[in-house]
Amino acid sequence: MSYLKPAEFVTKMVDAGQDKALMSTRDTVIRAYMAGAILALAAAFAVTITVQTGNPLLGAVLFPVGFCMLYLLGFDLLTGVFTLVPLAWLDRRPGVNLRAMLRNWGLVFVGNFAGAFTVAVMMAIIVTMGFAVDPNEVGQKLGDIGESRTVGYAEYGASGMLTLFIRGVLCNWMVSTGVVAAMMSTSVSGKVIAMWMPIMLFFYMGFEHSIVNMFLFPSGLLLGGDFSIGDYLLWNEIPTVVGNLVGGLTFVGLTLYATHRRTAASKPVEEPVAV
């Protein structure tokens, strides 16, 4: 596993942010669509494992397979571009301005949602035999997740909203750490190992990931979960997106950029004083 020093992989982070900001609309949407779909499949996989084994840890251990697949294929998640693209703007890379950054975020959001929603519909068909029967155990679990993580927060008002936001912050702290960790290595095995650890952590801890939720909550609505589209947007998706932005950019992107690219001036060495 070839290891790159922080100064080297932070430069790669800025380069990646520039590439993503300047990517064509078609390529951005297609890559985001595929990322949302693959991550949704991984979430469905993890929920299925948890239901069938009764062991949520096993589902969390295996969930990162989806994240590793989409990263190695070069697809983009909103959580990743939240962290990388602003660095290219701060670094004053040619062509990267506020408009380009917001355009990238908007296109990736749309693509991620479309991909995740496509898988949500497909999984709803599978767990109901084409809507001919009631949802099976996995389908019932998907409905329960959507209800508990929308109405469940709403029951506590402002305290619930704060908890939801902090879970979003912690989620993208870990997910963006996974994105950056993959840049530390030049080998596939090294990238996979580095990504696996923080992704497993966020999933098992129940932190809120905006793209995973783009699958879980539409699935829950399709499968009879007792919550509304308004509940989903107000009491999950919107606060989660904001939390993901704050977590990834503050605790990963800016900290690494500030200390390994725009480093503070070294303290001068003082001459010894003669006694």
Side-chain angles (χ1 to χ4, degrees), residues 87-138:
L87 302 186
W89 180 39
L90 291 172
D91 209 56
R92 304 191 181 201
R93 291 296 180 89
V96 183
N97 51 32
L98 180 60
R99 181 177 179 180
M101 181 175 70
L102 294 177
R103 167 188 167 276
N104 172 263
W105 288 356
L107 291 174
V108 172
F109 180 95
V110 170
N112 284 168
F113 185 85
F117 185 76
T118 299
V119 173
V121 173
M122 290 178 174
M123 286 302 302
I125 291 171
I126 289 172
V127 301
T128 61
M129 196 62 70
F131 299 105
V133 298
D134 291 335
N136 63 16
E137 278 190 283
V138 173

